[in-house]
Amino acid sequence: MRHGNAHRKLNRKAEHRRAMFANMAASLIRHEQIITTLPKAKDLRPIVEKLVTLGKRGDLHARRQAVAAMRDLAMVKKLFEVIGPRYKDRDGGYTRVLKAGFRYGDQAAMAVIELVDRDPEAKGKDSGPRADATEGEAPASE
């Protein structure tokens, strides 16, 4: 019997799930919109909602709880300085999950999870190394 087992296992052990959702929550706070599979997006929503609520509280204990849940100090700082004050007057419902069709390789249901009233400039920001220099130019090494 599966009484009281509310969340999906996603074919992962508990430690892997915890780490995966910590990374996904940090990515969602960084970019304010991410694309993932539908079951992962549905399970990520309550985690991020609780983190935004901690960001709205803004005290030291809430900050420590957010660091323990996310393990990314820069994103905790953004959560408490940018996102928390943004949703100060909103009582829940900070994220939305939109269905985004099916993945080409395995037909997995995909979804976009985003923060409501998100900043469109944050999308794709700091998403890894970029080739700013053109291919013909070599960096000056002196």
Side-chain angles (χ1 to χ4, degrees):
M1 288 181 275
R2 280 186 49 90
H3 297 301
N5 296 330
H7 303 290
R8 297 170 185 86
K9 293 183 185 244
L10 300 172
N11 290 324
R12 288 163 173 84
K13 295 188 186 282
E15 296 83 12
H16 187 180
R17 267 194 315 276
R18 194 173 305 118
M20 179 185 67
F21 284 130
N23 290 331
M24 288 176 70
S27 294
L28 182 60
I29 289 170
R30 171 176 282 131
H31 303 293
E32 301 190 12
Q33 177 187 33
I34 59 173
I35 300 172
T36 183
T37 61
L38 185 62
K40 285 181 192 172
K42 286 181 177 181
D43 279 355
L44 179 63
R45 181 195 304 203
I47 295 168
V48 174
E49 299 267 345
K50 289 170 187 162
L51 287 172
V52 173
T53 303
L54 290 176
K56 284 172 56 176
R57 263 184 29 208
D59 57 347
L60 180 62
H61 183 56
R63 187 175 293 262
R64 286 179 174 165
Q65 286 177 314
V67 168
M70 241 186 338
R71 303 180 193 95
D72 189 343
L73 295 178
M75 291 307 104
V76 171
K77 182 177 180 182
K78 180 179 179 183
L79 177 68
F80 279 82
E81 293 178 0
V82 177
I83 294 176
R86 183 189 303 168
Y87 297 115
K88 162 177 72 93
D89 297 328
R90 189 179 191 99
D91 296 330
Y94 313 115
T95 59
R96 100 174 31 107
V97 175
L98 303 168
K99 293 183 180 180
F102 298 93
R103 188 162 48 200
Y104 175 70
D106 60 355
Q107 294 298 306
M110 299 299 288
V112 175
I113 181 168
E114 63 183 10
L115 294 175
V116 177
D117 301 331
R118 68 182 172 86
D119 179 19
E121 299 299 319
K123 181 179 176 183
K125 185 177 182 183
D126 188 32
S127 61
R130 292 182 186 243
D132 291 336
T134 59
E135 291 182 17
E137 297 178 13
S141 58
E142 291 183 280

